[in-house]
């Protein structure tokens, strides 16, 4: 233990030195601010600096959060009401100056002291995040043992404001459950990058995670499943009599605590209850909500659902849908949304609506009767009938409804907002119909996807590299930009078992999405961003937050040369790296041949091994790909 502490202190002093050096050259702010005017000097904050503010309660919370970060290890930062011109002071100023827009701020770090101005508390909060990023990485270290004598910041004037009001991250707490503390930790991480919305995917086939007092079986039964570890979709079904031991849920008290914690950090929580599909946990608790009588269980991630591809609908071996033909389904949803609306103050409730399996509906006599009674021509219209009724329920609780883009099928509910995930097209269509849109397309914003080559990343559906995520542009050509509320990155957790992996999947791609949602479009620049990301790696290390180093790994393309041989094309996501390789099964390093032109894999080679280097030292991970896999990729049998 002692050795760990000594090492941590050493590491932390080393980072202070290097971070102070860096700050002279570049501010490394993520997301990039609107305007930065850097001076040549520095501001020094003494260990006992005073933070001044007007005494307002919401601003007091921000000031306290800043003081807590500076005070770790016994510093004596003080907080006072009023203003001061004292050297080394920090002044929080709420102003009605017209040139500071909503959520915007001005941060002036002079050689003498620091002034942070905003028209609203939210702006002061975002300005505080910028201020913290101007401080050395040591400010991220939570277990500081000794006070820091003084903090040094670069002289700078920053004027800043967000591009979009909806800057979200979605966390799937159904497929794997994360505790209140773990969700708070995630909020702490996201606010550093000025995200202001946490979308909690609270229900799915693998677990119902929200206490509904009027429907106790939802959590007595629906929150628990048998425990399995491995690859989602291949996991084994519950055995007869096997106890459901994995799971958890949030009580009303838990949600109140989370909502307050988030609000103190200017984060709204968007609750999602995913219906009519993805509802196996609810059906396991209340099987009478299904159109299909049968035995139901909360799925541990077994293959009860099949995705045929080619744009066709899901079909299931179990009916995981809430039946639109039953009045009791809507009575159930009324109870659910009554409690959801009371618990979550945010103005929107997400009703899911995605990936509804239709194969049981096709066979259901009740659905046929519903179609006849209501004049519904097809199953799209059945889904639309369901969604419109859900919208009425949600609106009756004083909330707006948002759903995944499938809610467009069969006709959009009159007031609904659309979250576009199957590309941007659903969002474009919804905006053309005059509806609000949040963009979260798989192509740019699905952070459950692998971040690099499948040979080195934990396997999951598809790949989304950092560079691609950074190209996320939420406003497509030809739509009314005022209908695009913003965007979000989505972290589905079928393959995310732990918070360490949650962090690995989120960072650094979360930084790319944060910049797409906050910074002016014209400020965005991949080379500059990737350099800033590298600086932030040391901050994440200090904070004990895991990140993916995938941007250092080679991009591998295998091409068929002839019926037996493969040509390898290698490249890198960031500049300044060389790629070194071997075909002889040994581990390459900087002394191995460097890639310059496409490589023909030698006839009997079994593996290709690769590593990237910078300044003659390895920086990437050792990538090992069997030649047989590369042949498959190239289409050679
Ligand atoms: C989704 O990814 N099924 C919304």
């Amino acid at each position: 233990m002692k050795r760990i502490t000594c090492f941590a202190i050493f590491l932390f002093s080393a980072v202070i030195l290097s971070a102070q050096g860096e700050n002279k050259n570049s501010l490394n702010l993520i997301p990039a601010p609107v305007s930065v005017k850097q001076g040549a000097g520095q501001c020094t904050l003494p260990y006992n600096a005073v933070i001044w503010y007007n005494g307002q309660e919401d601003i007091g919370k921000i000031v306290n959060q800043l003081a807590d970060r500076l005070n770790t290890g016994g510093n004596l930062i003080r907080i006072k009401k009023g203003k001061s011109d004292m050297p080394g002071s920090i002044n929080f100023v709420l102003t009605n100056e017209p040139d500071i827009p909503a959520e915007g701020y001005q941060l002036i770090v002079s050689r003498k002291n620091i002034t942070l101005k905003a028209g609203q508390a939210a702006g002061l909060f975002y300005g505080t995040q910028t201020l913290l990023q101007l401080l050395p990485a040591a400010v991220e270290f939570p277990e500081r043992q000794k006070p820091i004598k003084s903090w040094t910041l670069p002289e700078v004037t920053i004027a800043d404001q967000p591009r979009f009001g909806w800057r979200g991250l979605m966390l799937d707490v159904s497929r794997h459950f994360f505790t209140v503390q773990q969700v708070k930790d995630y909020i702490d991480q996201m606010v550093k990058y000025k995200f202001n919305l946490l979308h909690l995917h609270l229900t799915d086939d693998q677990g119902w995670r929200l206490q509904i007092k009027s429907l106790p079986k939802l959590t007595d039964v629906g929150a628990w499943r048998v425990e399995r570890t491995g690859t989602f979709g291949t996991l084994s079904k519950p055995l007869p009599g096997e106890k459901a031991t994995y799971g958890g849920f949030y009580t009303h008290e838990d949600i109140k605590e989370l909502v307050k914690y988030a609000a103190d950090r200017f984060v709204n929580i968007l609750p999602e209850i995913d219906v009519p599909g993805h509802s196996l946990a609810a059906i396991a608790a209340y099987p009478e909500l299904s159109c299909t009588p049968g035995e139901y269980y909360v799925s541990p991630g077994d293959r009860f659902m099949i995705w045929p591809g080619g744009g066709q609908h899901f079909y299931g071996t179990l009916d995981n849908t809430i039946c639109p033909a039953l009045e009791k389904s809507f009575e159930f949803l009324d109870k659910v949304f009554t409690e959801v609306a009371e618990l979550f103050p945010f103005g929107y409730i997400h009703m899911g609506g995605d990936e509804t399996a239709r194969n049981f509906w096709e066979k259901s006599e009740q659905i046929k009767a519903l179609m006849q009674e209501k004049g519904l021509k097809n199953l799209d219209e059945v889904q639309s009938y369901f969604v419109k009724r859900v919208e009425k329920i949600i609106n009756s609780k004083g909330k707006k409804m948002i759903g995944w883009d499938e809610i467009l099928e069969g006709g959009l509910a009159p007031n609904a907002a659309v979250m576009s995930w199957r590309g941007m097209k659903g969002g474009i269509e919804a905006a053309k119909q005059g509806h609000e849109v949040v963009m979260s397309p798989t192509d740019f914003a699905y952070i459950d996807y692998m971040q690099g080559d499948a040979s080195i990343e934990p396997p999951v559906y598809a790949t989304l590299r950092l560079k691609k995520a950074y190209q996320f542009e939420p406003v497509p050509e030809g739509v009314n930009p005022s209908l695009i509320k913003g965007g979000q990155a989505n972290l589905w957790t079928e393959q995310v078992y732990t918070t360490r992996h949650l962090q690995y999947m989120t960072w650094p791609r979360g930084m790319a999405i944060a910049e797409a949602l906050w910074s002016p479009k014209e400020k965005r620049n991949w080379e500059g961003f990737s350099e800033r990301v590298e600086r932030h790696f040391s901050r994440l290390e200090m904070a004990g937050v895991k990140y993916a180093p995938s941007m250092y790994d080679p991009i591998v393309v295998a091409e068929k040369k002839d019926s037996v041989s493969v040509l390898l094309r290698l490249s890198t996501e960031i500049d300044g790296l060389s790629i070194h390789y071997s075909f002889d099964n040994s581990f390459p390093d900087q002394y191995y041949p460097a890639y310059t032109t496409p490589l023909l894999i030698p006839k009997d080679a079994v593996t290709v091994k690769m590593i990237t280097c910078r300044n003659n030292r390895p920086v990437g991970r050792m990538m090992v790909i069997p030649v047989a896999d590369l042949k498959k990729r190239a289409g050679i049998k």
Side-chain angles (χ1 to χ4, degrees):
M1 187 64 191
K2 224 182 218 151
R3 223 176 318 148
I4 292 173
T5 311
C6 289
F7 174 71
I9 290 169
F10 161 76
L11 186 74
F12 135 84
S13 330
V15 171
I16 300 176
L17 290 175
S18 69
Q20 287 184 335
E22 276 158 30
N23 277 344
K24 283 192 187 137
N25 304 323
S26 155
L27 298 181
N28 300 314
L29 297 171
I30 299 178
V34 172
S35 148
V36 176
K37 291 196 187 83
Q38 200 172 347
Q42 291 193 328
C43 175
T44 301
L45 280 182
Y47 71 94
N48 60 352
V50 182
I51 309 177
W52 298 86
Y53 80 112
N54 66 0
Q56 205 172 299
E57 191 187 339
D58 49 355
I59 301 176
K61 285 181 185 167
I62 306 168
V63 165
N64 271 298
Q65 287 171 33
L66 174 61
D68 283 350
R69 295 284 293 281
L70 299 175
N71 272 335
T72 313
N75 288 18
L76 296 165
I77 300 284
R78 290 161 296 157
I79 297 171
K80 291 192 180 170
K81 290 179 189 168
K83 303 188 211 171
S84 160
D85 204 27
M86 248 164 50
S89 60
I90 307 176
N91 277 283
F92 275 63
V93 181
L94 198 63
T95 165
N96 52 12
E97 285 171 39
D99 55 336
I100 305 186
E103 291 194 282
Y105 66 90
Q106 272 179 14
L107 175 62
I108 302 151
V109 181
S110 73
R111 294 178 193 211
K112 187 174 167 196
N113 54 24
I114 297 172
T115 306
L116 177 56
K117 287 195 226 175
Q120 299 175 356
L124 293 175
F125 182 76
Y126 301 126
T128 302
Q129 304 315 311
T130 302
L131 174 57
L132 284 163
Q133 285 193 16
L134 291 174
L135 290 164
V139 77
E140 299 293 341
F141 190 63
E143 291 158 46
R144 202 180 299 140
Q145 303 291 321
K146 287 193 183 151
I148 300 242
K149 286 212 172 68
S150 62
W151 298 95
T152 306
L153 294 86
E155 183 186 7
V156 69
T157 298
I158 295 174
D160 202 9
Q161 68 186 83
R163 182 173 170 208
F164 296 101
W166 186 300
R167 303 182 300 279
L169 281 179
M170 188 217 77
L171 177 60
D172 170 4
V173 291
S174 170
R175 270 55 177 275
H176 283 100
F177 179 62
F178 296 93
T179 63
V180 169
Q181 186 55 51
Q182 289 168 335
V183 176
K184 285 182 181 175
D185 293 345
Y186 200 59
I187 292 172
D188 286 345
Q189 291 160 37
M190 64 190 269
V191 296
K192 290 181 184 175
Y193 297 100
K194 302 186 174 75
F195 283 104
N196 68 350
L197 182 125
L198 176 66
H199 167 175
L200 287 180
H201 180 75
L202 288 164
T203 70
D204 212 301
D205 302 312
Q206 284 70 39
W208 183 284
R209 305 284 173 226
L210 180 66
Q211 179 187 32
I212 300 294
K213 287 187 177 167
S214 56
L215 295 160
K217 282 200 276 181
L218 281 175
T219 43
D220 289 351
V221 176
W224 305 97
R225 61 175 165 81
V226 297
E227 185 151 14
R228 298 284 183 271
T229 305
T231 302
F232 187 85
T234 69
L235 299 170
S236 48
K237 288 184 197 307
L239 298 168
E242 187 178 358
K243 284 233 158 34
T245 52
Y246 177 85
F249 62 91
Y250 307 114
T251 63
H252 283 206
E253 290 315 306
D254 289 339
I255 294 295
K256 285 178 198 156
E257 187 180 327
L258 265 183
V259 162
K260 179 173 181 328
Y261 191 85
D264 286 348
R265 288 151 185 82
F266 299 86
V267 169
N268 285 308
I269 300 188
L270 170 70
E272 180 184 352
I273 303 295
D274 196 355
V275 287
H278 286 281
S279 291
L280 197 54
I283 306 281
Y286 296 101
E288 61 273 22
L289 298 175
S290 170
C291 307
T292 316
E295 292 273 309
Y296 291 96
Y297 55 86
V298 182
S299 163
D302 55 315
R303 192 172 171 77
F304 73 88
M305 196 54 70
I306 293 121
W307 176 243
Q312 294 175 60
H313 279 285
F314 263 51
Y315 61 92
T317 56
L318 268 181
D319 187 356
N320 68 340
T321 65
I322 305 278
C323 186
L326 302 174
E327 271 317 296
K328 63 179 164 229
S329 296
F330 300 104
E331 288 157 18
F332 165 84
L333 290 168
D334 193 281
K335 287 183 181 163
V336 170
F337 287 121
T338 299
E339 294 189 33
V340 170
E342 281 165 11
L343 283 171
F344 294 91
F346 190 47
Y348 292 76
I349 291 177
H350 200 304
M351 56 74 60
D354 59 321
E355 299 182 323
T356 308
R358 306 280 180 83
N359 55 308
F360 289 95
W361 290 5
E362 271 163 12
K363 292 192 212 109
S364 162
E365 290 307 319
Q366 289 154 310
I367 295 283
K368 281 182 200 151
L370 175 79
M371 290 172 78
Q372 202 156 36
E373 184 198 332
K374 305 285 177 196
L376 307 172
K377 291 193 284 297
N378 51 45
L379 293 178
D380 278 351
E381 291 192 8
V382 172
Q383 158 123 347
S384 169
Y385 161 80
F386 177 89
V387 172
K388 285 175 181 156
R389 286 201 59 180
V390 171
E391 182 180 65
K392 280 208 179 113
I393 295 172
I394 290 177
N395 289 169
S396 77
K397 314 294 170 204
K399 303 286 184 180
K400 282 194 84 170
M401 185 183 83
I402 187 166
W404 299 112
D405 57 55
E406 284 93 332
I407 67 171
L408 281 152
E409 293 164 7
L412 199 46
N415 310 310
V418 169
M419 194 170 269
S420 192
W421 73 279
R422 295 175 301 173
M424 311 281 278
K425 62 182 186 314
I428 294 170
E429 178 54 36
K432 285 198 172 139
Q433 294 181 29
H435 291 253
E436 291 177 332
V437 171
V438 173
M439 291 292 190
S440 61
T442 51
D443 342 28
F444 301 99
Y446 263 42
I447 58 171
D448 58 323
Y449 288 1
M450 294 177 287
Q451 336 200 26
D453 197 272
S455 63
I456 200 162
E457 297 293 341
V460 76
Y461 313 115
T463 301
L464 170 63
R465 289 181 176 275
L466 177 66
K467 189 170 183 178
K468 186 82 189 284
Y470 192 66
Q471 288 159 7
F472 180 35
E473 169 45 45
V475 183
E477 296 278 313
V479 303
N480 174 355
S482 70
L483 289 169
I484 310 296
K485 294 181 69 64
Q488 61 180 51
N490 296 333
L491 183 52
W492 302 98
T493 59
E494 291 97 316
Q495 287 304 136
V496 179
Y497 286 69
T498 64
T499 51
R500 294 303 284 168
H501 196 47
L502 187 91
Q503 294 164 4
Y504 176 94
M505 297 305 281
T506 307
W507 311 114
R509 288 180 299 188
M511 298 179 201
I513 302 299
E515 187 147 309
L517 297 173
W518 179 281
S519 305
K521 196 172 165 183
E522 63 279 6
K523 279 267 159 174
R524 286 162 58 194
N525 165 287
W526 165 248
E527 279 71 32
F529 173 74
S530 58
E531 283 171 22
R532 282 180 283 132
V533 164
E534 286 197 66
R535 308 285 181 199
H536 277 252
F537 285 165
S538 64
R539 302 185 80 85
L540 293 172
E541 281 162 26
M542 271 283 153
V545 172
K546 196 173 189 190
Y547 61 87
S550 318
M551 70 180 198
Y552 296 116
D553 297 330
I555 300 170
V556 179
V557 177
E559 251 175 48
K560 183 172 173 173
K561 173 84 162 81
D562 53 44
S563 62
V564 288
S565 43
V566 175
L567 201 62
L568 275 188
R569 290 184 193 279
L570 308 181
S571 57
T572 56
E573 211 169 334
I574 57 172
D575 288 344
L577 304 183
S578 54
I579 308 171
H580 303 261
Y581 60 89
S582 79
F583 294 116
D584 60 10
N585 301 329
S586 66
F587 293 113
D589 58 19
Q590 63 271 38
Y591 299 102
Y592 275 60
Y595 175 86
T596 51
T597 53
L599 301 167
L600 194 61
I601 299 182
K603 185 167 173 302
D604 295 323
V606 179
T607 61
V608 181
K609 294 188 175 151
M610 288 159 272
I611 195 158
T612 55
C613 296
R614 178 191 273 155
N615 300 331
N616 252 344
R617 289 178 65 178
V619 284
R621 298 173 290 188
M622 184 64 62
M623 192 185 275
V624 180
I625 314 186
V627 172
D629 283 2
L630 292 166
K631 284 192 169 167
K632 244 190 247 160
R633 290 188 198 185
I636 297 173
K637 298 239 162 59

